[in-house]
Amino acid sequence: MLQTTLEEYIRLAGLATSAGNYTESEKCGHAMLTALAEHAATGEEFRSVAFRARLIIADALRLQGKHREALTLANGVYASAQEAGDKSYSSNALRIFGLIAMNAGDIPQARAHFDDAFSLADEVNDEFGKAASLGNIGLLHQRSGAFHQAIECFTRAREIAERIENLRLQALNYNNCGTAYENMSDYPAAMKYYRLAYSVAERNEDTP
């Protein structure tokens, strides 16, 4: 019962983030922590869920522009994950560090965090972590005007997302490709990828 509840909160948090409802995503993360506390859930499995809940909250705070709060929370997760030897969640926290650095305009620091995040994910065959890190590196290329390199990263990320059947990441990277092509004034290609993103996003919303 608890596991089903936690999985539902994770699903709802993802949908809320996709819809731009970051306060709702934050609430889902807090609800996960409350559920864990109410059931006195301990052990390695639930420790990882607690990491995930705290990172959902941290990312929601970041997306609301509350970077200091997000960084504090992500730092806590990173320290705990490092102590536990959990490379997947260390990688997840590093991506939040990178996104905050990118938003602050510190591109070299952001790239270092994303590269480290990818390396940790690769060490433990965390395919989601690898795809997310590649997508983040693509965003850095896009910001610097290196659109072809950005498309290469987005494409690699989307291919991994297809292998692990993650529709949200697939849609995100199709959309990012569309933005890159639009920035290059290749409007037919941009529309192609925007349509693909929309199609996959619709399938994601229909998934129970």
Side-chain angles (χ1 to χ4, degrees), residues 17 22 27 89 95-96 101 107 117 131 138 158 173 206:
T17 299
Y22 308 130
K27 287 178 184 177
Y89 281 99
R95 289 202 310 277
I96 291 181
I107 302 305
R158 191 253 309 157
N173 283 286
D206 290 340

Side-chain angles (χ1 to χ4, degrees), residues 134-135 138-139 142 146-159 162 169-197:
L134 283 168
L139 291 175
Q142 185 152 270
F147 300 120
H148 290 292
Q149 290 97 318
I151 290 166
E152 181 181 347
C153 286
F154 297 146
T155 300
R156 289 175 63 195
R158 191 253 309 157
E159 288 170 348
E162 287 178 347
L169 267 184
Q170 288 176 50
L172 177 63
N173 283 286
Y174 272 133
N175 190 73
N176 286 340
C177 279
T179 302
Y181 278 113
E182 184 175 359
N183 286 329
M184 292 190 293
S185 300
D186 187 342
Y187 300 114
M191 287 305 301
K192 169 189 171 183
Y193 281 96
Y194 286 145
R195 289 191 188 99
L196 286 166

Side-chain angles (χ1 to χ4, degrees), residues 3-177:
Q3 189 63 39
T4 301
T5 299
L6 293 169
E7 288 174 358
E8 179 64 7
Y9 280 132
I10 290 169
R11 187 183 75 85
L12 292 173
L15 290 174
T17 299
S18 296
N21 192 348
Y22 308 130
T23 56
E24 189 62 30
S25 180
E26 182 186 350
K27 287 178 184 177
C28 289
H30 283 296
M32 290 171 67
L33 292 177
T34 299
L36 288 170
E38 287 176 347
H39 288 80
T42 58
E44 183 175 347
E45 177 186 2
F46 292 116
R47 181 192 65 204
S48 295
V49 175
F51 288 161
R52 184 162 189 175
R54 288 159 66 192
L55 287 175
I56 286 171
I57 296 167
D59 199 44
L61 290 169
R62 175 188 69 81
L63 290 164
Q64 293 173 68
K66 301 175 182 179
H67 295 159
R68 183 172 296 180
E69 293 174 56
L71 191 58
T72 298
L73 191 53
N75 264 316
V77 174
Y78 181 74
S80 297
Q82 286 284 92
E83 183 179 349
D86 192 324
K87 293 185 178 181
S88 285
Y89 281 99
S90 296
S91 172
N92 290 348
L94 282 167
R95 289 202 310 277
I96 291 181
F97 297 163
L99 288 165
I100 292 172
M102 183 173 70
N103 288 337
D106 190 343
I107 302 305
Q109 187 64 65
R111 180 60 191 262
H113 285 315
F114 294 148
D115 284 344
D116 288 345
F118 180 88
S119 295
L120 284 177
D122 193 35
E123 285 181 31
V124 292
N125 296 315
D126 177 357
E127 295 295 283
F128 176 89
K130 288 164 61 178
S133 299
L134 283 168
N136 292 150
I137 293 168
L139 291 175
L140 285 180
H141 285 309
Q142 185 152 270
R143 281 204 170 194
S144 64
F147 300 120
H148 290 292
Q149 290 97 318
I151 290 166
E152 181 181 347
C153 286
F154 297 146
T155 300
R156 289 175 63 195
R158 191 253 309 157
E159 288 170 348
I160 294 173
E162 287 178 347
R163 289 203 299 272
I164 62 175
E165 300 181 343
N166 188 304
L167 294 174
R168 181 168 171 263
L169 267 184
Q170 288 176 50
L172 177 63
N173 283 286
Y174 272 133
N175 190 73
N176 286 340
C177 279

